[in-house]
Amino acid sequence: VYPSSAMSVTAYDEDAAGVVLSASSLRVTELQSGHPAQTYEVRLLSEPTSAVTVTVTLEGLSDGFNASWLSSPSEWPVVLTFPAGASWATAQSVTVRAQDDSVAHSSDALFRVSHAVSSSDGRYNGGSVAVLPSSSLNGTIEEDDVAGVALSVGSLSVTEGDASGATYRVTLLSRPAAGEWVRVQVSADVGSSSWLTASPSELVFGAGNWSSGAEVRVTASQDSVAEDTASATLTHAVTASSGSVYGPGTAVYPSSAMSVTAYDEDAAG
């Protein structure tokens, strides 16, 4: 039985003054497909003599946390008003949704949502009002973006002396943070560097061109030796500005080593 065959149940006294939250923590992800926003309800335990206001505030616990990382609620603080009278018992909901920013972070983002209660009804005013299970909910935004470099092909074929050569595109899998840059250097192996050329040999990506990528053209120079084919390898090395999640260990897909086959136009065939 998942998560456990034993389910804990908490009973609250509906005659006492207090606020009840239907959640004890929050967990959302940037990847919205199949991972809906998390909604929790806020309700009063007993009827107040005058309107009760519950103010919901957001606090970032991770370095650099920004409220824009959550697309819902659209504005903070969130103010919930429970009127005195027949509708006091109607629960009100708060929906928390993550904003997909396309930026790969080194870890999940942590935040806290707090609830403050106020009213002219003394039982529902101030910090002594019980908020159950806790006045603060710790939340997590699960990171769905990864640092990576994508090559449009895994291998290439070129003909010696053909100036048009063959092309492929290089893109990043996630957007560098504002002010950061990512450099991809393309180089031929030692045995082929004298006749195989990749242009440009250095690509620089930032927030503006990470997804559109850049084209690399590969050409092989003509020689006088008749041979059917020659093989070479183009290597893709990644460096980045300080603090970036990109760097020398960044994965390149399908591989950082691209095999190149050069056909000799001098050969018979």
Side-chain angles (χ1 to χ4, degrees):
V1 179
Y2 300 94
S4 171
S5 61
M7 176 185 291
S8 61
V9 179
T10 302
Y12 297 118
D13 186 350
E14 65 176 6
D15 295 321
V19 176
V20 176
L21 312 179
S22 64
S24 57
S25 63
L26 300 170
R27 192 170 191 89
V28 293
T29 180
E30 293 183 7
L31 182 61
Q32 300 302 328
S33 177
H35 295 76
Q38 183 169 352
T39 298
Y40 68 96
E41 292 188 337
V42 182
R43 66 179 180 86
L44 304 185
L45 270 178
S46 61
E47 183 177 0
T49 58
S50 59
V52 175
T53 298
V54 178
T55 303
V56 188
T57 57
L58 174 67
E59 175 190 1
L61 302 180
S62 296
D63 290 341
F65 187 91
N66 191 294
S68 64
W69 294 1
L70 295 175
S71 61
S72 176
S74 58
E75 292 185 2
W76 297 89
V78 177
V79 178
L80 309 176
T81 301
F82 296 84
S87 60
W88 70 269
T90 302
Q92 299 188 43
S93 62
V94 177
T95 298
V96 178
R97 183 186 300 274
Q99 177 70 47
D100 192 351
D101 59 4
S102 299
V103 177
H105 301 279
S106 58
S107 61
D108 293 341
L110 305 179
F111 63 94
R112 178 181 294 128
V113 174
S114 299
H115 304 75
V117 185
S118 61
S119 173
S120 57
D121 180 343
R123 298 180 309 139
Y124 276 100
N125 190 55
S128 61
V129 181
V131 180
L132 307 169
S134 173
S135 62
S136 297
L137 303 180
N138 287 334
T140 302
I141 301 176
E142 294 180 352
E143 179 59 57
D144 76 314
D145 298 300
V146 297
V149 176
L151 311 181
S152 60
V153 298
S155 61
L156 280 178
S157 297
V158 295
T159 300
E160 288 183 5
D162 180 3
S164 62
T167 62
Y168 65 97
R169 293 196 72 80
V170 181
T171 56
L172 303 187
L173 296 182
S174 59
R175 177 169 60 88
E180 293 184 351
W181 53 263
V182 178
R183 180 180 291 114
V184 179
Q185 292 177 301
V186 187
S187 58
D189 60 89
V190 175
S192 60
S193 59
S194 61
W195 56 266
L196 187 69
T197 302
S199 180
S201 60
E202 182 176 283
L203 311 171
V204 179
F205 299 95
N209 68 339
W210 68 276
S211 61
S212 58
E215 183 179 85
V216 178
R217 185 173 301 276
V218 181
T219 56
S221 60
Q222 179 65 56
D223 60 26
S224 58
V225 180
E227 55 186 347
D228 291 334
T229 62
S231 298
T233 300
L234 286 178
T235 300
H236 301 77
V238 183
T239 56
S241 54
S242 176
S244 174
V245 295
Y246 282 86
T250 298
V252 180
Y253 301 94
S255 172
S256 61
M258 175 186 291
S259 60
V260 179
T261 300
Y263 294 103
D264 188 353
E265 64 176 9
D266 295 322

